[in-house]
Amino acid sequence: MDETCRTPVSEAHATLAARFEAAFADWNTDPRAWPDNLFEARALEAFALQFEANQPYHRYCRAIGRTPDDVTTWRDIPPAPTAAFRAVELIVGDPSDAVLRFRTSGTTAGAAARGTHLVRRPETYRAALLGPFRHAVLDGRRRGRILLLHPPFAPTRESSLAWMFDTVLEELGAPGSSRLDPSAGETDGAGATPAGVAALEAAAAAGEPLTILGTTLALADWLVRLAAAGMRIELSRGSRVMDTGGAKGREGLERDPAIGGLLERLGLPAEAAINEFGMTELLSQRYAAGLGRLALRGPPWLRTRVLDPVSLEERPEGEEGILCHYDLANVGSVVAVLTADRGRAVGDAVEWLGRTPGATPRGCSLATAELLEAQR
Amino acid sequence: MIDTDALPGPEWLPGLSADFDPQNRLDGKSAAGATFWVPQLTDTESVTVAEAVRTAALAARRTHRAADVVVAAARAAGRLADRDDPYGRAALDALQAATGCSRTGAAELLERNAAGWTASVLSALIRSEFGELAVLDQPRPDPAQPGRRRRAAGPPVVHLVLAGNVPGVAVTAVIRSLVVRSGVLCKLPSAEPWLVGLFARALHEEDPALAATMAATWWPASVPGPVAHEWTKRSGKVIVYGGPDAVRALRARTPPAIPLVEYGPRLGAVILGPDTTEAELDGLARDTCAYDQAGCVSPRLVYLLGMRSDAEVDALLDRLGRALGAESARLAPVFTTDEEAVDIRAARARYQFDATDGARALGPADLAWTLLFRARAAAYSEPLPRVLWVYGIAGLEELGRLRGVLEGRLQALGVAGLPDTDRRQAEELAVELGVSRVTPPGAMAWPPADWRHDGRMQLLPLVRWTDLETAKQD
């Protein structure tokens, strides 16, 4: 793409993204400030831009015969399967214009098949992230004392989650907030006290609620260390433990015992558990409080349809299908993303039921894994 | 919707008393999600069944000739393909419910399999491998060694494990063990658990003594239980149709002295030369849609040989797509699991988003069939129903460069539209890669009964030979 056509795309995207960010900000201030018809209008605007300026997506839409002329509701916007993020760089304009580059973990398809999500404007991600986080995790407070169990964002790791956590810590963390990098060691200094205990004790002593953030894996490992050291600390009311990511294939790990065990050690009720559902391919998140089956809710600029995997027809509420997300924060890439996640609609929320496993070969047909093994 | 409760249970368990009342049951689910259950056998019951089969098999060697077994087995199996027979109707119901295929597809599957179950075909197969049927009944003079006689027989009991096979092949595998005079202890495939039991019941009506020489039931691979253990250790050979996991699990529980005969998963490939005809493309579509590519002979990889312009490639793909559409319509919609649907869409997306190497993806929105093309030599493919992975290659040497991936993994090679020199080169390459069949498209999915499955004889690996020598006369 040459300079002459780059500028208009950049401008078009910047203008649209700024309007979206303003709308997100309005909702953050007053959730009633989001009119019912706003999502539809903004989604169609985003699709029109992405059809014109996201080359691989344009090619896809052409291949399946969809153009802005025949897409009249947000439900008609052709979703990009998550596999597309593994095949190409999906961005409005030129990939070199990306400011952030996030890579998926490769949990499902292996490290060689990691997907990439390019972000033109970190401001959009920030605007989509902070308000809903405040509402769902900080009880609407502007800032809170945070203990983050996650390594900082590094361009080499390209983790969307690390960037999100850093942003939350930086912009919403109150004095006394700290980070515990799980890779940096298991104890505080030379002693046998598990790392992070000092932050727990300080928050308890100050009588301030503490919000603990981490992946389900990191929190489960931390629980093991706290339990081994016999640590029990009574945190103040209003404290939260927010986990994300699930077991990521670790055998035997289940969220409820891990997070529930941590809550119990910190003197917190089950409602203090917050689960965050996010994907590298999406810049907005959903949240739910508690343990067990959770109805995940997101901001009004993130909608999710539950579809029949074969026909892609929408399934009635309560029936299981695959999740297709429509995220206005993805204005710089693709708004509609078809996942391999199974779930069901519960009112205006979504229950996540797990990832669809790869198909099992029928009969005596050779599995792909065996072919790939031969190629190594 | 087929009522599977109307079908008899998948199990066939001779030797248990008439008032056998299982304490527990094992619940299973077929490929298309149809539910079934079988009794959970205790150690004692597993042994009772195995011993009953062994006793009956040895008794049948005295009362039946191989020719008798052939006739009875052929009659019983033939009933499964007879729509006017109650067993034929039940077989259709079972196949439809278990695999999700259409009535037309189920009928075709039974008819095509039944072509290999007739007495004349079975007798011809025995003759082609042993020279005569009688050598399975009694010692026969060895023409190469005067004074020596030879006899072939399978072990009194074999354990047949059907962990991954095309529906219908389970019955074929049982028949082949029976005709070499073995009793059969069969672990049924959950993907299609009913056909073997229906065959056993039909055989019981034709010849109860022979039906007593086979037993069949199912258990989850992850929880083998006492029946797997007892049946394995009481068998003279273990025959397994399945993937690496099934083979590994069997190896682990099979005593080293018991030989394992494996039929592993493979795939089919097709080379289409510049002179490929429309009839050959129609044939390829039939091979692709037959039992939804579940077979090791089913085409999955397609190589377009020779430099072709974009327009030529488009025309060929378009024509092949129309053939697949017509065949899909004839056989009724493909049954696709949720997992397969997700994978097909993901595969299509990779080709629709990434234009590298002239990539293109063709196929209807309902996933009835899919063609994925790139103009480069590769062997990547996924086992998805009615999906062909098409690669453009300039010459056969490019295929030769994939030998590290393809060698030992290609079961069948379809060849069409090649000039003689290329055809000879393709045949040489097939031999080098260990391909067991080279055929025109249209014949790939239904190999003849005497085809060398995995490059081996069908019956010889199942038997043991006994030489009977007399003292030499000076």
Side-chain angles (χ1 to χ4, degrees), chain B residues 159-163 219 228 232 238-241 244-255 260-261:
Chain B
H159 181 28
L160 178 59
V161 178
L162 298 156
W219 56 86
T232 304
V238 174
I239 303 153
V240 54
Y241 291 72
D245 290 346
V247 172
R248 247 192 311 276
L250 262 181
R251 273 195 196 291
R253 72 163 195 259
T254 304
L260 206 61
V261 182

Side-chain angles (χ1 to χ4, degrees), chain B residues 207-220:
Chain B
D207 191 329
L210 276 183
T213 70
M214 63 173 289
T217 192
W218 172 84
W219 56 86

Side-chain angles (χ1 to χ4, degrees), chain A residues 77-138:
Chain A
I77 297 173
T82 47
F85 288 82
R86 296 197 288 272
V88 290
E89 295 184 321
L90 287 165
I91 188 170
V92 169
D94 194 282
S96 65
D97 291 337
V99 176
L100 290 170
R101 170 184 290 268
F102 297 134
R103 305 286 308 275
T104 60
S105 61
T107 307
T108 309
R114 293 174 64 191
T116 305
H117 190 182
L118 301 180
V119 177
R120 288 187 69 108
R121 269 173 73 97
E123 298 93 317
T124 314
Y125 191 3
R126 188 178 287 113
L129 160 68
L130 296 178
F133 186 92
R134 258 194 216 114
H135 287 294
V137 186
L138 296 182

Side-chain angles (χ1 to χ4, degrees), chain B residues 55-77:
Chain B
T55 304
L58 290 173
R61 290 185 185 191
R62 293 189 294 275
T63 56
H64 291 65
R65 295 169 304 139
D68 301 327
V69 179
V70 163
V71 168
R75 269 210 299 263

Side-chain angles (χ1 to χ4, degrees), chain B residues 1-5 7 29-35 90-103 106 191-194 335:
Chain B
M1 184 69 91
I2 304 289
D3 177 15
T4 52
D5 288 341
L7 292 168
K29 207 175 251 193
S30 77
T35 54
L92 279 173
D93 286 347
L95 266 179
Q96 250 192 296
T99 69
C101 69
S102 66
R103 201 76 172 169
E192 187 295 296
W194 283 288
F335 170 77

Side-chain angles (χ1 to χ4, degrees), chain A residues 54-64 78-90 108-109 113 307-313 315 320-322 334 336 338-342 355-376, chain B residues 31 99 163-167 191 243-244 263-267 291-297 300-301 334-343 345-356 358-361 365-367 378-385 402 404-406 409 453:
Chain A
N54 183 332
Q55 286 189 348
Y57 186 58
H58 177 91
R59 174 183 151 78
Y60 173 68
C61 291
R62 286 280 183 207
I64 61 170
T82 47
F85 288 82
R86 296 197 288 272
V88 290
E89 295 184 321
L90 287 165
T108 309
L307 306 178
D308 178 291
V310 178
S311 67
L312 294 189
E313 296 287 319
R315 284 199 162 157
E320 193 177 323
I322 54 170
V334 282
L338 180 66
T339 73
D341 290 329
R342 293 179 295 112
R355 187 70 53 88
T356 305
T360 307
R362 300 187 191 188
C364 45
S365 190
L366 192 72
T368 307
E370 289 155 50
L371 272 177
L372 293 175
E373 185 65 31
Q375 277 172 315
R376 293 211 173 99
Chain B
T99 69
N165 53 274
V166 173
Y263 296 94
R266 294 193 180 195
L267 78 165
Y291 47 82
D292 295 330
Q293 285 173 295
C296 54
V297 289
R300 212 160 93 189
L301 292 163
V334 62
F335 170 77
T336 312
T337 64
D338 289 358
E339 293 80 7
E340 287 166 342
V342 166
D343 286 357
R345 284 190 201 288
R348 285 184 178 187
R350 293 198 297 274
Y351 282 71
Q352 287 162 328
F353 279 86
D354 180 6
T356 309
R360 55 204 94 168
D366 65 1
L367 311 181
Y380 184 83
S381 65
E382 295 173 34
L384 297 168
L402 297 172
V405 184
L406 297 177
R409 293 181 177 81
H453 188 177

